[in-house]
Amino acid sequence: MAPAPLAHSFLSLRAQAPEYGWLLPALACLPDAMSYPIAHWRGRWNARLDRDWVSLSLGHRHVAALAAQGYAQFLTAEQVQDALVERFETVAREEMESRALQLHGLGHFRVDAAEALARLAQRPRDRGLVLVTAHLETFVLGIAALAANGERIHPVMSSVSEDPRVAPAVRAHFRLKYSGLQRHLQGGQLADAETSMRYFYRVLAQGDVVVVLADAPAPPGGPGVCVPWMGAQRLVAQGALRLATQSNSLLAAFACHSSGARRHTVALSALTDPRSDAQGCYAQAFAFMEEHIRMRPGRWWASHLLPLFATC
């Protein structure tokens, strides 16, 4: 029998209030020479203690073990530990940068999205576009950058951060993170997947863009789509594909990569039409996401979800 996960210490749990309440906004206002090294140190410390807001909310350490299992499915044993530490470092940087976006706006960053914006500008305006992406680096900066030329973008967000088990300071952090992104969406709206599907179909029908974080497994026993994903045939959540096919929208994927302090690059895949081959188009989108994850596997902070995918 596997041992039960270790519980978080009382101090580790209580530290969330000052950590999310004043440390993150303070880091977002410090010079780069101070903020990024401190965020890097915070990530390494969190890796050592398996401090992730998900595990802190549940009260026991389990994210690091799951992430290590996930990395072991496509990395060598020697690479797993380095990727695991980088995963926590990336989360720490993402949390700081998302607060910086909320406090200072997109102009605080140098985001190269020229090629992605040029491709986006060529899409037909009489059809919506479903963009899928992964929990890779600071993806909210990629969303904000893709809206910079006037695209009205509507991200699909989960309401899991409002679970009462999540610490109040962490819930407040997510609300501020989302409000910071909201200001850059050209009139688009963040809405949750649990209650707002009609809204997403409506905005796609008017030719807008909807963004879905698609690197999640199909629900146990529920419907999914079988695609090649991270080295195996896996059953992935079908929500984004269903949105695209039922709204007669196009489908594509994007990724946002950090190239240094406050410097990022956005890449956009080819736009595909799922009317001709829905599963094939979805497989192309996942192949694009996998390609970008494999560039820096440690920066994929949903690696802990990989062991939860059913094979098919």
Side-chain angles (χ1 to χ4, degrees), residues 20 36 45 55 145 148-149 153 158 171 181 186 200-201 204 212 220 250 268 273 285 289 299-301:
Y20 285 88
Y36 280 86
W45 184 254
S55 65
N149 282 2
I153 296 182
S158 172
R171 279 181 268 160
L181 177 58
Q186 307 296 337
F200 292 118
Y201 282 113
L204 286 169
V212 180
L250 300 175
L268 180 68
D273 188 344
M289 292 192 292
R299 297 184 179 182
W300 181 38
W301 41 280

Side-chain angles (χ1 to χ4, degrees), residues 50-66:
D50 192 4
R51 293 186 75 253
D52 181 280
W53 72 268
V54 175
S55 65
L56 288 164
S57 301
L58 295 178
H60 55 77
R61 308 177 193 181
H62 69 288
V63 169
L66 282 173

Side-chain angles (χ1 to χ4, degrees), residues 27 33 61 63 68 72 90 101 111 116 144 157 174 213 225 236 239 252 265 283:
L27 289 178
R61 308 177 193 181
V63 169
T90 300
L101 178 67
V111 183
M157 294 300 175
F174 274 96
L213 288 160
V225 184
V236 303
T265 303

Side-chain angles (χ1 to χ4, degrees), residues 11-202:
L11 286 177
S12 190
L13 294 168
R14 289 297 296 270
Q16 293 176 93
E19 187 177 7
Y20 285 88
W22 66 263
L23 178 61
L24 287 179
L27 289 178
C29 294
L30 287 175
D32 296 348
M34 296 176 66
S35 61
Y36 280 86
I38 294 172
H40 179 80
W41 174 86
R42 175 177 172 250
R44 294 185 72 85
W45 184 254
N46 284 343
R48 182 177 179 180
L49 298 178
D50 192 4
R51 293 186 75 253
D52 181 280
W53 72 268
V54 175
S55 65
L56 288 164
S57 301
L58 295 178
H60 55 77
R61 308 177 193 181
H62 69 288
V63 169
L66 282 173
Q69 291 175 34
Y71 285 130
Q73 294 187 30
F74 64 98
L75 297 177
T76 65
E78 294 75 17
Q79 294 171 320
V80 168
Q81 185 58 35
D82 287 343
L84 184 61
V85 173
E86 189 177 18
R87 181 245 179 234
F88 282 87
E89 293 169 348
T90 300
V91 171
R93 190 185 75 234
E94 186 275 340
E95 290 176 336
M96 179 187 73
E97 290 186 325
S98 63
R99 289 302 294 273
L101 178 67
Q102 178 254 327
L103 290 168
H104 308 299
L106 188 61
H108 182 70
F109 300 91
R110 297 180 289 276
V111 183
D112 180 4
E115 291 185 12
L117 288 170
R119 177 169 287 173
L120 202 56
Q122 296 172 0
R123 72 181 184 91
R125 295 291 149 176
D126 60 341
R127 297 180 68 186
L129 171 64
V130 175
L131 281 179
V132 297
T133 195
H135 292 81
L136 182 66
E137 306 203 34
T138 310
F139 67 85
V140 293
L141 290 176
I143 297 174
L146 290 173
N149 282 2
E151 287 284 357
R152 194 161 52 237
I153 296 182
H154 310 264
V156 180
M157 294 300 175
S158 172
S159 60
V160 67
S161 60
E162 291 297 328
D163 188 300
R165 291 174 294 180
V166 179
V170 178
R171 279 181 268 160
H173 164 75
F174 274 96
R175 292 179 197 132
L176 290 167
K177 169 181 174 177
Y178 294 156
S179 70
L181 177 58
Q182 179 78 53
R183 295 199 304 269
H184 296 83
L185 300 179
Q186 307 296 337
Q189 298 287 325
L190 290 103
D192 66 82
E194 292 82 1
T195 63
S196 304
M197 294 311 295
R198 288 186 180 180
Y199 170 77
F200 292 118
Y201 282 113
R202 185 168 70 251

